[in-house]
Amino acid sequence: MPSMLVIATTAVPDHLRGALSRWTSEVVPGLFVGTVSARVRDQLWNAVTEVVGDGAAVLVHPAPTEQGYAICTAGTRRRVPMDFDGLTLMRMTAPPPGSSSAKGRQSQG
């Protein structure tokens, strides 16, 4: 049975955006929304994870969890989904060394 999915992408190849737009609508740049079967969702996500490269992607889809959805991530992300007693929460990781946000924090002192 088809269900809704949301895929958010950042800095991914144009051909991936084109492949996603065959099955979903790109409502704003990098944000894809659609209603597909679980099989198509899994195939789309496999395509994303294979070519995400230095970019990033997040998939949110319905799941039989307490929250009613599941979160999957691929690529370089500062926000990492973590399971806390059955709830998925997002954990922030430290910025990579040499990034502009890390330099900004060091100079504020």
Side-chain angles (χ1 to χ4, degrees):
M1 175 159 185
S3 61
M4 186 174 178
L5 68 80
V6 176
I7 298 176
T9 62
T10 305
V12 296
D14 287 339
H15 67 88
L16 176 61
R17 293 177 64 189
L20 289 172
S21 66
R22 290 184 195 123
W23 293 93
T24 61
S25 297
E26 188 172 12
V27 295
V28 296
L31 185 66
F32 299 86
V33 179
T35 303
V36 297
S37 68
R39 180 178 178 186
V40 171
R41 178 193 69 223
D42 293 343
Q43 290 175 343
L44 285 173
W45 188 243
N46 285 338
V48 169
T49 59
E50 288 175 5
V51 298
V52 72
D54 291 334
V58 176
L59 165 67
V60 180
H61 65 89
T65 65
E66 189 70 28
Q67 293 166 300
Y69 59 85
I71 301 171
C72 303
T73 61
T76 307
R77 305 230 22 109
R78 286 200 55 214
R79 299 173 189 265
V80 180
M82 302 290 293
D83 185 304
F84 290 95
D85 294 329
L87 294 177
T88 301
L89 303 176
M90 300 305 284
R91 180 175 65 91
M92 292 292 292
T93 60
S99 71
S100 60
S101 60
K103 290 177 185 175
R105 271 193 272 143
Q106 290 173 354
S107 64
Q108 297 175 346

